[in-house]
Amino acid sequence: CVSVLVCGCPWCWFYFYFQEVLPVLAAKHCMMQATAELHQSALANQKKKFGEEIARLQHATELVKTVASRYDEYVNMKDLSDKISRSLTAAKKDNDFIYHDRVPEVKDLEHIGKASLVKTTGIQTPLSQKFTDLFEKMVPMAVQQSVSAANSRKSDTVNRLIGSMREATNLCNGVLASLNLPAALEDLSGDAVPQSILEKSRAVVQQGGLQSIEQLIKDLPELLQRNREILDESLKMLDDEETTDNELRGKFNQRWNRTPSGDLYKPLRAEGNNFRNILDKAVQADQVVKERYTAHCEMIALLCKPENELSAAIPSANPAKTLQGSEVVNVLRAQLAQLDEVKREREVLEGEVKSVTFDMTAKFLTALAQDGAINEEALTTSELDSRYGSHTQRVQQNLRRQEELLSQIQVSHQEFSALKQSNSEANNREEVLKKLASAHDSYIEISSNIKEGTKFYNDLTEILLKFQNKCSDIVFARKTERDELLKELQQSIAREPSAPSFNVPSYQSNTPAPASGGPNPAPRTQPQAKPQPPARPPPPSVTPQAASTSAPVSTPVAPSSANPPPVAPPSQAQGPPYPTYQGYPGYYQMPMAYNPYAYGQFNMQYMPYQAQGQAGYPGAPPAQQPYPYPQQPPQQQPYYPQQ
């Protein structure tokens, strides 16, 4: 089987399938069918169908016998066979003696069906009330891009309509505040505080008055400083890593082969500069808001006071009572009422414009399927015209109606002011009321601007934190890359040779140079390790002779003793700088014939020496010109003093 599995031949797999797999499958099939017949016989016994029980057990017995005869080597059927046999014997005995039920043929038995273990339930769609199809909004990339562009055009249209209406409202409020309307018409008594001023005072107090604005203005520098610190810290990480990279690049030159940090950080630095420009513009906007607050803070503080203090701060103008019931006053009131209606209509229009919703996905999909391309601009423009065309016309009509009313109000106000020119006190009172009305409008606008600034700084903090995380991640990756590169450079530097190869002098070479009849030069270096000294030679049996350059050779008289006393070597001999050995007491030193240079240099007579059972030393070589440096003769085994 293993050889067949290893081989990839189709015929081998065919052989393996029919010889190994099919018999096992057939045996398992018969075994499972026999087990099913056994369980179905138990069910027939419960239903009082004893003949069917016997028939199923007989069929199970035949299946078991088939498996035992054909596939006995693959499965073990002994336990199942014994169980079926016992059940069949008991069923036949009960039927023969008690029930006498007819045993049907196997082909007449009902087919064993599938057992229903659980109750089936239908799938309901949607599966839950909050079910959302994740693939419902999945569209082709071209459609997705077109939808994004269409949403951008829609946002531009909505912002343009709403912006024009809000600009018109601010213009209207500014004109009315400069004319002191409607406070001038409500202040015809000359003593009481106008009702419009009281309403504006209550509105300012409900929104927190000066304390809320001062607290918001006080928080702005802290929010700004926090954003600056996050941005500075992010850029500082980039600067530090770039400085380190430049230093290592200057140190290793061409070996520092990785992307320069300055080139890699260009997108991040551009993004950081963009954030810094945004913060600078925000600082300028904050300064404008603070200057405006400083210009109106006095009148805003006056609006926050109680009614009696507010009334005492406004100058009195009793002669203004003569204007009550005047036709000019009635005309102005009617025109102001119409202007208020225009502003309410504008608020309704703004809500309707915001509530318009539509989806261009279906149209883009249809266009892509029909034409194979999407003309996003044409389709989106057509849809925007149909959706916002009526709203655009109503906005334009509203703006034109406001212009007409403002021009009429200005003409009527001139007539109204002409009637009040004779009273200087009334003019002073009207000037104060104008400032109060303008202070209310400024308070609303300043409060809105500061809240928007606070939200802007908080949102920018989250963006800067993401930018800081991005910088931290790339700096960490660069540091890891730098450490790995430094490790590789250190290993490569350590493997480099300290100096180029050079030729060793011949006299320092350990290999002996060939010479004609002369000794080879000895190495100048000492051996690294000293081997064990050779065995000490036995005492000589002959009398050595001493040679000297200044005296003739003399032979001493040998004593009667068997071991003659040793003779000291010549004291005037000068040889190479070898360590000298004084000799072992009672024995001769190494014969001088061992050093051929000594005999050749000082004309000492060669003294043959041979101990009992020991070969003689080699003879001295012929004399030749000595080397310029002291040399040591080549030795097969170095000489060391005996211990």
Side-chain angles (χ1 to χ4, degrees), residues 245-253 256:
D245 181 73
N246 293 334
E247 292 177 355
L248 293 174
R249 190 175 303 280
K251 180 178 180 180
F252 293 103
N253 297 328
W256 197 252

Side-chain angles (χ1 to χ4, degrees), residues 367-389:
L368 183 62
Q370 293 178 355
D371 304 333
I374 301 175
N375 190 355
E376 180 270 328
E377 184 177 359
L379 294 175
T380 304
T381 303
S382 175
E383 185 69 19
L384 290 176
D385 292 341
S386 62
R387 296 282 183 173
Y388 294 100

